[in-house]
Every structure is written in C-alpha cells, then in structure tokens.
Amino acid sequence: MTEQHGVLRLRFFMLGASLAHLPAHLIWGMKDWCFTPHFLERFREFFPAAEVHRFDDCGHYVVEDAIERIVPIIEATLPAAAPAGAGRRR
C-alpha cells in the first residue's frame, strides 16, 4: 500500500465515522464490473448499520437498471413531512 492509498483510507474511515449515525442504504448492482461485491463488503465495514440492498440482476448503473425498485427504498427513508415531489426541478 502506498502512502497516498493509506491517506485515502484514513479519510474514508473518518468520513464514515462522522456519518455513521445517519440512515444509510448501500444499493449495489452485484454484476458491477467496476465496484465488485468485494467493495460492498468494504463499505459495510465503514457503515455497519447501513441497510444493504443487493440487486443480482444489475450492473454498474444500478439506479438506471432498477429505478422502479430503488425509488421506494429512498422514499421510505425520507422524512414523512416532505411533500411528494419536493425539491424536484421542473
């Protein structure tokens, strides 16, 4: 491991520690050629309380591949007070 790689790991760890109290979802395309399942396991180490959503039939563009399954996951996490469509640009 290079020194630069070590610094990046430390920064990522610190970021994860500072965000660990927030709700998180790890949404993963299991056929991703770039961010393989190995990376998902590493993210789980940094965000152990995150809900993990594996999409076996999706690849790198998991949101495009499974938008109809991902939107409800995200919407369920948003505060109930947020009106439908709030924040969307038209």
Side-chain angles (χ1 to χ4, degrees):
M1 172 176 21
T2 67
E3 183 178 342
Q4 181 180 16
H5 185 256
V7 169
L8 290 174
R9 285 185 63 183
L10 178 60
R11 286 183 181 166
F12 190 75
F13 175 77
M14 291 171 62
L15 173 66
S18 68
L19 300 176
H21 67 285
L22 298 173
H25 294 277
L26 298 176
I27 297 173
W28 219 266
M30 299 305 285
K31 291 183 178 181
D32 192 331
W33 57 270
C34 182
F35 296 105
T36 64
H38 166 77
F39 287 92
L40 172 59
E41 295 310 314
R42 293 291 293 149
F43 269 80
R44 290 184 66 209
E45 291 175 23
F46 290 107
F47 301 98
E51 290 186 34
V52 178
H53 306 273
R54 293 174 180 87
F55 291 90
D56 293 330
D57 59 332
C58 298
H60 189 69
Y61 301 103
V62 63
V63 175
E64 291 181 13
D65 294 344
I67 188 84
E68 70 285 345
R69 292 179 279 169
I70 293 172
V71 167
I73 293 168
I74 303 303
E75 287 179 337
T77 305
L78 299 175
R88 292 186 184 167
R89 292 183 181 184
R90 296 187 190 241

